[in-house]
């Protein structure tokens, strides 16, 4: 099935990502009653009425000794807008995650494209496992912006041309690049989020080094900020114990 394309929009370019916490059931108390059921049974429900600060040590113990299941009894749903190449990496995280992404089969895709911002380091030096990124020259930065914008404009014009000729959206979308912005809902629990953050962010307290692409790290940083507000004791224990998921 095909339909007439919407009025052609002019391509726009952005260098940021969007992360919004849209709903949640997540608190440090969730960890405590889940952990204490093993020894207290139904009395573990009493934790629901206690100040979790009194049990900071238990949360740290669970994190330190990697008793992970108590960190799964919570839920956070994020609405994320980012380039498609970020989502291709994101979807490699499967355990404890659920995703629904906008579809290029069922809607006409909007022309919003990623161009690196001024703080994005452009040049890779060294070999895999030992490389680092450096700023790059003003000429390289100007070239990157110009070439990417020109390429995006050509690709979106080709997409619109096919839609106008009656070609199905699911076929026409093949010409669009991975720098196109997409959106999705992503639902996780604290344990699966900690695993994601351990791999997709760099942090001075991390016991195991990570080398994420900057754009997915930007998403991770924003998700972590929301989670830290919901579960501050769990977040603190995660950092204290080397940012390794239990």
């Amino acid at each position: 099935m095909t339909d007439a394309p919407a009025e052609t929009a002019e391509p726009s370019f952005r260098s940021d990502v969007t992360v919004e916490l849209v709903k949640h059931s997540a608190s440090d108390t969730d960890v405590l009653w889940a952990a204490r059921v093993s020894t207290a049974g139904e009395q573990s429900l009493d934790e629901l009425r206690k100040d979790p600060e009194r049990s900071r040590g238990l949360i740290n113990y669970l994190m330190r000794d990697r008793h992970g299941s108590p960190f799964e009894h919570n839920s956070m749903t994020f609405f994320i807008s980012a380039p498609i190449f970020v989502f291709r990496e994101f979807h490699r995280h499967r355990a404890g995650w659920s995703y629904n992404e906008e579809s290029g089969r069922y809607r006409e895709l909007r022309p919003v494209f990623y161009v690196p911002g001024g703080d994005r380091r452009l040049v890779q030096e060294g070999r895999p496992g030992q490389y680092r990124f450096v700023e790059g020259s003003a000429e390289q930065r100007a070239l990157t912006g110009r070439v990417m914008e020109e390429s995006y404009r050509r690709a979106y014009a080709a997409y619109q041309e096919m839609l106008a000729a009656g070609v199905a959206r699911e076929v026409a979308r093949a010409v669009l690049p991975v720098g196109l912005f997409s959106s999705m809902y992503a639902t996780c629990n604290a344990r699966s989020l900690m695993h994601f953050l351990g791999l997709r962010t760099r942090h001075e307290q991390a016991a195991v080094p990570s080398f994420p692409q900057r754009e997915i790290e930007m998403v991770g940083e924003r998700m972590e900020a929301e989670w830290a507000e919901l579960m501050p004791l769990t977040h603190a224990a995660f950092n204290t114990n080397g940012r390794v998921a239990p």
Side-chain angles (χ1 to χ4, degrees):
M1 184 181 77
T2 61
D3 57 14
E7 183 179 348
T8 302
E10 182 68 16
S12 62
F13 311 100
R14 54 183 291 196
S15 59
D16 62 333
V17 297
T18 301
V19 175
E20 180 182 356
L21 180 68
V22 294
K23 67 175 182 175
H24 67 86
S25 174
S27 69
D28 292 315
T29 304
D30 297 330
V31 180
L32 297 172
W33 60 254
R36 289 202 163 114
V37 73
S38 61
T39 58
E42 68 280 1
Q43 293 179 351
S44 63
L45 292 173
D46 293 341
E47 297 299 328
L48 295 172
R49 294 180 289 275
K50 291 182 180 178
D51 179 3
E53 186 72 35
R54 295 168 54 190
S55 298
R56 178 189 295 267
L58 174 57
I59 291 177
N60 189 69
Y61 159 74
L62 295 169
M63 190 77 69
R64 184 196 68 207
D65 286 14
R66 305 193 73 182
H67 297 290
S69 58
F71 297 100
E72 296 177 2
H73 295 270
N74 54 83
S75 177
M76 294 164 279
T77 298
F78 299 91
F79 181 76
I80 301 168
S81 180
I84 288 174
F85 66 80
V86 169
F87 290 172
R88 298 297 79 81
E89 287 194 343
F90 211 125
H91 292 161
R92 298 176 73 174
H93 296 266
R94 298 180 296 278
W97 287 91
S98 299
Y99 303 106
N100 281 93
E101 185 180 351
E102 69 175 279
S103 173
R105 297 183 67 193
Y106 302 124
R107 64 169 300 185
E108 182 178 330
L109 298 171
R110 299 290 84 205
V112 181
F113 298 95
Y114 176 75
V115 175
D119 59 347
R120 205 319 183 174
R121 295 178 179 179
L122 293 180
V123 178
Q124 178 180 319
E125 294 182 343
R127 63 179 187 272
Q130 296 183 338
Y131 61 81
R132 65 189 185 99
F133 282 88
V134 297
E135 299 297 332
S137 66
E139 291 76 15
Q140 288 170 319
R141 191 163 299 280
L143 173 70
T144 298
R146 176 178 59 80
V147 171
M148 291 180 81
E149 290 187 15
E150 290 175 355
S151 176
Y152 291 149
R153 292 182 190 279
R154 289 194 299 269
Y156 196 73
Y159 174 67
Q160 286 292 316
E161 182 179 0
M162 283 190 282
L163 292 181
V167 176
R169 290 184 294 265
E170 65 182 58
V171 176
R173 66 178 174 170
V175 300
L176 295 173
V178 294
L180 181 75
F181 269 73
S182 186
S183 60
M184 72 172 178
Y185 290 105
T187 299
C188 64
N189 58 57
R191 189 182 193 185
S192 54
L193 180 58
M194 284 186 277
H195 182 261
F196 176 88
L197 295 174
L199 292 172
R200 301 299 182 178
T201 61
R202 283 176 289 255
H203 196 280
E204 61 183 7
Q205 291 179 270
V208 180
S210 182
F211 305 94
Q213 183 163 338
R214 177 55 189 153
E215 287 75 15
I216 197 170
E217 185 179 35
M218 290 160 58
V219 174
E221 290 169 347
R222 287 158 175 77
M223 295 176 76
E224 182 170 0
E226 297 283 3
W227 170 55
E229 291 288 327
L230 297 176
M231 303 178 72
L233 300 183
T234 302
H235 180 255
F238 175 58
N239 283 332
T240 298
N241 290 278
R243 293 176 67 85
V244 176

